[in-house]
Amino acid sequence: IEEVLKYACLENELDSIISCGNEPRSFFEIPDLIPDGTDLVVFDNLGIFSVEDEKNLRLQLDLLSHGLNLKGSTNLMIADEAGNSKVTDIAMYTTYGTIRLIRRDNPYTSKKERVMDIVKMRNTKIPSEYYHYDIAKNGLDICLPVSSGGTA
């Protein structure tokens, strides 16, 4: 049985919420734009926001996260490393879980590899090892944990 996820693309609506003229507006308005019954909300990219007031940003992200959780959807907030690291650090406190996807050089094979670091997952025992992953046609293929020796 194939499951169909209901999702919403709100790019234009988010542009008007996040910046209305030159006045930044609040994240707490975003959950109201998500249609009821939406299974998945992807918020890409938190790294584009500036941090003028860290306490206010933390409150805004808490309100956004809480509002999305009330919708009953699975929520994925993406923050890339090219963006503002302060935003990423603040967002890590707000989220239920944090997974860092890393592309690095393997010193043992001299090849590039993709590894996943599960930084935080509340109420769950998480491994301290990295996991190899590949980007495949149907999503991410996650492999065995990477041992301290650098191989799976």
Side-chain angles (χ1 to χ4, degrees), residues 3-112:
E3 285 188 42
V4 177
L5 292 177
K6 183 176 178 187
Y7 65 94
C9 181
L10 304 171
E11 186 173 349
N12 294 331
E13 292 89 339
L14 291 178
D15 285 344
S16 67
I17 283 179
I18 293 165
S19 177
C20 183
N22 288 329
E23 286 185 48
R25 294 172 64 192
S26 177
F27 287 158
F28 79 86
E29 297 175 57
I30 293 171
D32 293 336
L33 296 172
I34 308 300
D36 290 338
T38 299
D39 296 307
L40 176 64
V41 177
V42 178
F43 197 84
D44 183 9
N45 179 339
L46 293 179
I48 64 170
F49 300 104
S50 63
V51 181
E52 294 172 14
D53 179 358
E54 289 181 27
K55 284 184 181 179
N56 186 43
L57 179 63
R58 170 76 192 270
L59 176 62
Q60 293 282 326
L61 289 174
D62 283 343
L63 288 170
L64 173 63
S65 183
H66 180 70
L68 292 173
N69 286 337
L70 290 176
K71 288 288 191 175
S73 60
T74 298
N75 309 299
L76 178 62
M77 295 183 191
I78 298 171
D80 63 26
E81 291 187 3
N84 190 324
S85 64
K86 276 284 196 198
V87 173
T88 303
D89 292 345
I90 292 168
M92 284 178 60
Y93 287 107
T94 300
T95 60
Y96 185 86
T98 301
I99 299 172
R100 182 172 285 131
L101 302 178
I102 304 164
R103 187 165 183 234
R104 67 180 187 185
D105 291 320
N106 183 318
Y108 301 99
T109 64
S110 299
K111 294 182 180 180
K112 297 260 186 220

